[in-house]
């Protein structure tokens, strides 16, 4: 059950971030209209990358070197997945500039998702700690 909840969390974070990056890229390209097909492609790419993230995400209990290696592997797998998806969805060609743009886009999404996840988890921890203080400070 925990893995399913994690999957939905990552799906939400990643899909929202991918939508943001696509909107920014399309705005920079001068595109005003997003097709229904592109919206489904964004959802599908979010679904696939959320699955990859659920399976490959580094764990907090991993040591420093292991965590860095897992982050690099995770990022590389996400890049490969998004380059394949990007090509299949017509978002990019197999040209160096398009591949670099996808690598940068994946890095931006990775940063947004990491920051959002960290910030939300930190706020949750603060709320839990505050409730514990309230509950147990009254009993002392």
């Amino acid at each position: 059950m925990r893995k399913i909840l994690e999957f939905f969390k990552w799906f939400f974070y990643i899909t929202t971030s991918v939508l943001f990056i696509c909107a920014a890229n399309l705005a920079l390209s001068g595109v005003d209209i997003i097709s229904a097909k592109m919206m489904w492609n964004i959802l599908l790419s979010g679904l696939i990358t959320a699955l990859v993230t659920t399976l490959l995400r580094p764990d907090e209990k991993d040591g420093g070197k292991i965590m860095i290696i897992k982050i690099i592997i995770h990022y590389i797998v996400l890049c490969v997945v998004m380059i394949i998806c990007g090509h299949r969805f017509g978002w990019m060609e197999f040209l160096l500039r398009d591949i670099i743009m996808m690598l940068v886009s994946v890095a931006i999404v990775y940063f947004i998702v990491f920051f959002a996840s960290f910030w939300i988890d930190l706020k949750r921890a603060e709320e839990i700690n505050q409730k514990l203080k309230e509950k147990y400070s009254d009993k002392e």
Side-chain angles (χ1 to χ4, degrees):
M1 180 65 167
R2 185 170 184 248
K3 282 286 187 190
I4 293 171
L5 292 175
E6 274 189 45
F7 170 79
F8 282 112
K9 175 180 96 170
W10 295 123
F11 175 73
F12 175 75
Y13 290 164
I14 292 167
T15 303
T16 303
S17 300
V18 170
L19 183 60
F20 174 76
I21 294 301
C22 285
N25 285 340
L26 292 171
L28 291 172
S29 302
V31 176
D32 292 331
I33 298 174
I34 298 176
S35 68
K37 180 182 175 186
M38 181 174 284
M39 295 301 290
W40 285 110
N41 291 343
I42 292 169
L43 287 172
L44 181 58
S45 70
L47 185 77
I48 294 167
T49 54
L51 181 61
V52 167
T53 299
T54 302
L55 297 174
L56 296 180
R57 187 179 72 85
D59 197 277
E60 290 86 19
K61 56 188 165 190
D62 292 330
K65 287 182 181 179
I66 303 274
M67 182 171 273
I68 290 171
I69 291 168
K70 284 186 173 184
I71 288 171
I72 292 169
I73 290 169
H74 181 221
Y75 174 73
I76 290 169
V77 171
L78 289 174
C79 287
V80 169
V81 165
M82 285 308 298
I83 288 169
I84 292 168
C85 285
H87 182 70
R88 295 226 359 126
F89 298 156
W91 296 349
M92 60 168 282
E93 297 295 324
F94 284 122
L95 301 172
L96 183 60
R97 77 176 153 82
D98 288 354
I99 291 171
I100 290 172
M101 186 64 174
M102 186 59 77
L103 298 176
V104 169
S105 295
V106 171
I108 293 169
V109 168
Y110 205 97
F111 176 76
I112 292 169
V113 170
F114 170 79
F115 180 76
S117 175
F118 177 77
W119 186 74
I120 290 169
D121 288 349
L122 185 65
K123 291 299 176 188
R124 272 196 204 130
E126 288 173 0
E127 288 174 10
I128 291 169
N129 285 334
Q130 183 60 34
K131 287 180 182 181
L132 287 171
K133 285 179 187 176
E134 290 169 5
K135 181 176 180 177
Y136 290 108
S137 66
D138 292 341
K139 293 184 178 185
E140 288 181 16

